[in-house]
Amino acid sequence: MLIKSKRGWELPESAVTPEHIFLSRRTMMAAGAGVAAAALVGRAEAQAAPDPTADLYPVRRNETYKVERPLTAENVAGSYNNFYEFGTSKHIAHAAQALPIRPWTVKIDGLVEKPQTIDIDKLIRAMPLEERVYRFRCVEAWAMTVPWTGFPIKALMDMVQPQGSAKYLRFETFDTQSWAPGMRSPWYSWPYVEGLAIDEAAHDLSILVTGIYGKPVPRQHGAPLRLIVPWKYGFKSIKSIVRISFTEQRPQSFWERLQGGEYGFWANVNPAVAHPRWSQATEELIGGGGRVPSQLFNGYGEYVAPLYRGRERERLWA
Ligand code: MTE
């Protein structure tokens, strides 16, 4: 039997693309490039589009929690950020503008009577928004004072009705590398995850933030929805949340998983307990206020200390 083997570049007649199809493929490719370009333009337009909830701001300030420090300037707070999805530097504000924040949904699942995936605008409009001026203390020993707009997590809990067996809330940030270059780093285990005990989450100080400085919260601060728990080190305050799960098991958070010896689950501010690599006794006020003494529970002890009665054996400080 004679077997004529073709060389790699020799195509059978049947495999040759007829000219009209070849031409129409070129047209399609050109069209495809057009679609991609249009998608980019669409994304740029979406990024520049006014926030659909902008009409809600500013909202009434809740004066319950007084802060003796002056507010940090908006441009200072907005240009000195930690958002590792966009890189390890503090100057990620520009890169973070690539994050598409509409459409955006938040999945609420796990041990709740009413699990749901809710559109962010529907959620924001359904919740009781108020402004809270809080001190904010990063584990790296810098601090700022910021007017957040948000709603108590308790309001969200009332909406989804946790079951009796729910002991923790697990929060998760978006998980896509396409617009977050920091997520290509192999050192970290994405997505960013954080957790609270259910009584911590139900505390009135615990808020889900949608705005800052009387406006919708910008991307570098964790748009369109982030956590703020002001008596804990800042890494607990997870940004750009896409999922909140009610669980029986204590969730393992992003930093705990990476370096559990340095960052624990509870992570309450305590000037008397040093980080393994630096003191927590004082903090630098960003924007120029100098170094000031740090405070137990970041100054919120009168409200939150009772949460930790009976938990003294736990590692309550980061
Ligand atoms: N959330 C996500 N998803 N990714 C992060 O890298 N950094 C945390 C926290 N939330 C972080 C995050 C840390 S370490 C701090 S101090 C605060 O966000 C910083 O918040 P800010 O940039 O709004 O000041």
Side-chain angles (χ1 to χ4, degrees):
M1 188 191 282
L2 177 67
I3 299 174
K4 183 179 184 277
S5 60
K6 283 183 186 290
R7 276 164 281 175
W9 43 267
E10 282 183 310
L11 288 175
E13 199 64 7
S14 59
V16 174
T17 310
E19 187 184 25
H20 69 280
I21 295 181
F22 170 75
L23 288 175
S24 69
R25 269 193 206 154
R26 288 188 71 157
T27 318
M28 274 168 61
M29 279 163 73
V35 169
L40 278 178
V41 171
R43 196 161 124 184
E45 275 170 6
Q47 283 156 7
D51 188 291
T53 58
D55 60 296
L56 296 174
Y57 300 86
V59 304
R60 183 188 57 85
R61 180 175 292 180
N62 178 338
E63 304 280 0
T64 311
Y65 307 105
K66 299 259 182 267
V67 177
E68 72 298 345
R69 297 175 180 174
L71 286 186
T72 304
E74 182 178 350
N75 65 331
V76 170
S79 56
Y80 188 85
N81 304 97
N82 275 335
F83 204 162
Y84 279 72
E85 285 84 340
F86 293 98
T88 54
S89 107
K90 296 279 178 284
H91 309 291
I92 51 72
H94 180 71
Q97 303 316 307
L99 177 66
I101 53 173
R102 295 295 188 286
W104 189 281
T105 55
V106 182
K107 181 175 185 181
I108 308 169
D109 64 355
L111 303 170
V112 289
E113 294 302 332
K114 297 186 172 174
Q116 49 198 280
T117 298
I118 185 165
D119 175 73
I120 189 67
D121 297 316
K122 208 173 152 206
L123 177 68
I124 294 174
R125 288 187 186 278
M127 291 290 120
L129 296 185
E130 54 183 58
E131 186 174 76
R132 305 268 184 106
V133 178
Y134 283 165
R135 286 178 294 274
F136 182 87
R137 169 62 155 82
C138 178
V139 73
E140 298 162 341
W142 56 263
M144 60 182 184
T145 307
V146 171
W148 305 104
T149 298
F151 56 89
I153 302 180
K154 179 71 171 56
L156 179 125
M157 289 166 69
D158 291 345
M159 182 178 85
V160 298
Q161 297 174 17
Q163 293 168 1
S165 53
K167 295 196 175 67
Y168 297 94
L169 274 69
R170 178 186 183 278
F171 301 85
E172 195 178 300
T173 296
F174 65 83
D175 188 15
T176 169
Q177 297 183 351
S178 24
W179 43 76
M183 296 179 79
R184 290 179 208 135
S185 162
W187 304 114
Y188 305 102
S189 173
W190 307 105
Y192 199 101
V193 167
E194 260 306 339
L196 292 176
I198 198 159
D199 54 347
E200 293 182 310
H203 194 282
D204 186 57
L205 273 172
S206 303
I207 55 173
L208 284 166
V209 158
T210 62
I212 188 170
Y213 294 99
K215 289 175 269 194
V217 66
R219 292 166 173 82
Q220 66 268 31
H221 279 301
L225 189 74
R226 74 171 298 176
L227 177 66
I228 286 291
V229 275
W231 71 98
K232 292 178 177 284
Y233 290 115
F235 66 83
K236 296 292 295 181
S237 291
I238 181 173
K239 297 179 171 182
S240 304
I241 296 167
V242 292
R243 185 174 178 191
I244 304 173
S245 308
F246 288 72
T247 64
E248 199 162 357
Q249 296 293 322
R250 183 181 295 181
Q252 192 182 41
S253 59
F254 178 82
W255 291 107
E256 200 184 358
R257 189 164 179 174
L258 191 74
Q259 224 152 328
E262 300 196 355
Y263 308 101
F265 174 78
W266 299 99
N268 298 309
V269 176
N270 187 342
V273 179
H275 183 274
R277 290 181 282 133
W278 59 84
S279 164
Q280 296 290 20
T282 60
E283 61 206 45
E284 181 75 26
L285 300 177
I286 60 165
R291 273 203 103 72
V292 298
S294 293
Q295 304 174 60
L296 185 62
F297 291 113
N298 201 23
Y300 296 99
E302 64 174 296
Y303 306 111
V304 296
L307 288 172
Y308 303 99
R309 285 192 198 125
R311 286 175 168 149
E312 292 83 358
R313 287 165 164 269
E314 300 255 6
R315 185 179 144 207
L316 294 176
W317 328 102

